[in-house]
Amino acid sequence: MILDFDESLKAFRRGSPVLIYDFDDREGETDIAIPAIHVRPKDVAMMRMDGGGLICVAIHPAAAKKLGLPFMHDVLRVASEKMPEIRRVADADDIKYDSRSSFSLWVNHRDTFTGITDVDRALTIRRVGEVVDEVMMGRKVDFGSEFRSPGHVALLRAAENLTYERVGQTELSVALAEMAGIAPAVAICEMLDAETGRALTKEKAMEYAEEHGIPFIDGRTIVEHYRKFREVEVSLFV
């Protein structure tokens, strides 16, 4: 198992997975994280078989804004004005591990068939990563021309100031991508335990990381390094 922070950055730069554990007092979960722009069908298979949770793509807030990706709770609140029967469903202020959800739209790329196969999801995820890279470099993208919703890939919109505002897997993975200098869109999937029916323990996740030679990093380490990274960025422009 590789615990070194620099090794996690190197893995992200070459498109390899990293295991990210958030915090004992938050979700207490480990996610498989892979830069979206590098995701292939074998990576989707690995996430669904070795992770088992929901396969999502975490997106930098600046890219989400440029692409017009809303938070799903905002979509539901607007919809509930015309459909009052879903108002209670749209009221999600009782999340036990956080104050709100990061969910945005669920999409399929328009070139997919059903959207759920490893091939289809890899195409959707990879193209999301490429589109995020394009808009972050200042190019204009018509998101709707390539993607339809609903679909089989959940998009997550990271908090405005990333780990300064929220420290979920969404923000942790995007912060790691930003520090690695790659497109800030990351496919993430929770690691679950079929024996207990719960999240895979940190200890078992670390064993998996060691067995497969995958870097393992925790939320506290990412937060500490990201704040130093941002301080250096700010100092360069002062």
Side-chain angles (χ1 to χ4, degrees):
M1 177 185 54
I2 306 168
L3 288 169
D4 188 85
F5 172 73
D6 290 333
E7 290 300 323
S8 296
L9 293 185
K10 289 177 184 177
F12 255 29
R13 287 175 187 139
R14 62 175 179 265
S16 299
V18 170
L19 299 193
I20 301 176
Y21 177 81
D22 62 347
F23 298 88
D24 291 335
D25 58 355
R26 196 177 182 280
E27 291 181 333
E29 293 179 356
T30 300
D31 277 30
I32 298 170
I34 305 174
I37 205 166
H38 292 290
V39 168
R40 298 295 183 268
K42 66 182 179 64
D43 299 310
V44 176
M46 176 253 209
M47 286 188 283
R48 66 176 173 79
M49 291 190 292
D50 295 354
L54 191 64
I55 299 175
C56 309
V57 181
I59 297 175
H60 194 284
K65 277 186 177 180
K66 291 178 180 181
L67 293 171
L69 299 175
F71 284 112
M72 182 51 64
H73 60 252
D74 289 332
V75 172
L76 290 172
R77 282 178 185 143
V78 171
S80 69
E81 293 176 6
K82 292 189 175 181
M83 295 182 288
E85 62 272 19
I86 70 166
R87 188 167 295 144
R88 187 68 185 96
V89 176
D91 184 10
D93 59 357
D94 58 348
I95 299 174
K96 291 180 170 47
Y97 61 87
D98 207 335
S99 59
R100 64 168 178 78
S101 166
S102 291
F103 279 107
S104 180
L105 304 179
W106 290 63
V107 301
N108 285 342
H109 192 274
R110 291 187 182 275
D111 288 343
T112 60
F113 184 50
T114 64
I116 192 61
T117 63
D118 295 341
V119 170
D120 278 357
R121 279 195 280 182
L123 170 59
T124 297
I125 292 168
R126 188 168 60 253
R127 188 57 190 143
V128 167
E130 291 169 351
V131 162
V132 166
D133 194 31
E134 290 170 20
V135 297
M136 291 297 283
M137 291 191 293
R139 299 176 190 162
K140 290 187 177 181
V141 174
D142 180 359
F143 192 79
S145 69
E146 287 203 51
F147 301 91
R148 68 170 71 90
S149 184
H152 292 86
V153 174
L155 303 183
L156 306 175
R157 178 171 168 163
E160 191 67 30
N161 295 304
L162 295 182
T163 63
Y164 284 87
E165 184 176 326
R166 188 175 182 270
V167 288
Q169 294 282 4
T170 304
E171 289 74 26
L172 296 174
S173 60
V174 170
L176 191 63
E178 188 177 325
M179 288 186 286
I182 63 173
V186 184
I188 58 176
C189 178
E190 304 95 337
M191 299 190 80
L192 305 180
D193 191 331
E195 293 180 3
T196 66
R198 300 180 183 277
L200 195 70
T201 64
K202 183 179 182 180
E203 291 71 29
K204 285 187 177 181
M206 292 173 78
E207 289 174 7
Y208 176 92
E210 185 161 6
E211 180 182 346
H212 292 83
I214 298 174
F216 183 99
I217 192 168
D218 61 20
R220 189 173 306 280
T221 302
I222 292 176
V223 169
E224 290 174 354
H225 280 84
Y226 186 66
R227 293 188 177 180
K228 291 177 183 176
F229 171 79
R230 289 291 295 271
E231 287 170 6
V232 171
E233 273 196 330
V234 171
S235 68
L236 291 175
F237 293 97
V238 172

